[in-house]
Amino acid sequence: DVSFHYTPGAPVLSNVTMSVSSGESVALLGPNGSGKSTLARIICGLLNPVSGEVTLFGRPRTNGSWFRHIGYVMQNPDRQIFAPTVRDECAYGPRNFGIPPERWEDDIARRLHEFGLGGFEGRDPLSLSDGEKRRMNIIGVAAYDPQVLILDEPTNGLDHGNRLILLDRIRSWNAGGRTVIVITHDYEFARAACRRAVLIESGQV
């Protein structure tokens, strides 16, 4: 029963109710401006609903209480770049959460090579192409191993090979019990990656 507006009298979401099970892969579909990205920001705690409630593992959300548990890859990759090098950017999340390096260093190195970014470790992240930034964002968010991953238009800028790599990653995350929500206009990818779809239109399911 979540509702939200940026400007009073202009609702973006109206009484949205949905649930996602642990380990599920769900596509969040709908036209531009329907409220998909706003809903994602509310789920992960970047925005608070005007009314209604969001729960994680059956517990109400409180500000800051679950950032460690949810990873969000934004639609615009530039909006979540903080560090001076690709290596530091990918390590930003796990370092911020105090996770020991032995739990993520090898995984980051492996994923960089897997996604065609091997040798980019010392590059300025802002010098990368949009597709390269998106892959780097995905690697960095996955590095702290959140239980829920929200990917907003993750295939934008990805060629066929990298789309297949991402698809394999999503399936692997699901097999490991991780929950994945994919916001996309790419219906072919949604069908391949997700078992269920939720359609948002005019701020409602």
Side-chain angles (χ1 to χ4, degrees), residues 20-22 43-44 53-62 65-71 146-150 179 181:
V20 181
S21 298
S22 181
I43 292 170
C44 70
E53 184 180 56
V54 185
T55 63
L56 180 69
F57 313 131
R59 297 189 298 273
R61 192 194 80 189
T62 56
S65 67
W66 62 13
F67 292 135
R68 171 67 179 84
H69 304 294
I70 297 185
Q147 291 160 292
V148 180
L149 291 106
I150 304 175
T179 303
I181 300 173

Side-chain angles (χ1 to χ4, degrees), residues 65-66 73 75 80 83 100 102 112 124 149 154 181 186 196 204:
S65 67
W66 62 13
V73 177
Q75 185 174 355
Q80 59 187 118
E102 58 268 20
L112 284 169
D124 178 353
L149 291 106
I181 300 173
D186 186 340
R196 178 166 70 95
Q204 296 181 311

Side-chain angles (χ1 to χ4, degrees), residues 18-37:
M18 62 178 283
S19 49
V20 181
S21 298
S22 181
E24 192 175 15
S25 54
V26 176
L28 199 57
L29 309 179
N32 287 332
S34 59
K36 302 185 302 298
S37 294

Side-chain angles (χ1 to χ4, degrees), residues 136-165:
M136 177 190 65
N137 290 160
I138 293 169
I139 293 166
V141 167
Y144 62 88
D145 197 25
Q147 291 160 292
V148 180
L149 291 106
I150 304 175
L151 310 177
D152 198 343
E153 298 292 354
T155 60
N156 281 359
L158 299 191
D159 60 20
H160 181 67
N162 280 302
R163 284 160 52 97
L164 291 178
I165 292 169

Side-chain angles (χ1 to χ4, degrees), residues 26-150:
V26 176
L28 199 57
L29 309 179
N32 287 332
S34 59
K36 302 185 302 298
S37 294
T38 296
L39 181 56
R41 293 187 185 106
I42 289 173
I43 292 170
C44 70
L46 294 178
L47 294 174
N48 291 316
V50 172
S51 62
E53 184 180 56
V54 185
T55 63
L56 180 69
F57 313 131
R59 297 189 298 273
R61 192 194 80 189
T62 56
N63 286 341
S65 67
W66 62 13
F67 292 135
R68 171 67 179 84
H69 304 294
I70 297 185
Y72 179 35
V73 177
M74 297 179 180
Q75 185 174 355
N76 181 351
D78 287 333
R79 297 194 66 181
Q80 59 187 118
I81 292 177
F82 301 95
T85 69
V86 169
R87 181 188 294 105
D88 289 337
E89 184 62 38
C90 291
Y92 182 88
R95 283 175 175 162
N96 189 47
F97 289 121
I99 301 172
E102 58 268 20
R103 289 176 51 189
W104 47 263
E105 280 186 330
D106 290 345
D107 186 64
I108 286 176
R110 182 167 58 254
R111 298 300 171 216
L112 284 169
H113 283 279
E114 182 181 51
F115 272 108
L117 298 176
F120 285 49
E121 290 84 351
R123 288 269 300 271
D124 178 353
L126 295 175
S127 73
L128 305 182
S129 70
D130 283 347
E132 290 166 345
K133 290 174 186 175
R134 190 170 305 278
R135 285 177 268 157
M136 177 190 65
N137 290 160
I138 293 169
I139 293 166
V141 167
Y144 62 88
D145 197 25
Q147 291 160 292
V148 180
L149 291 106
I150 304 175

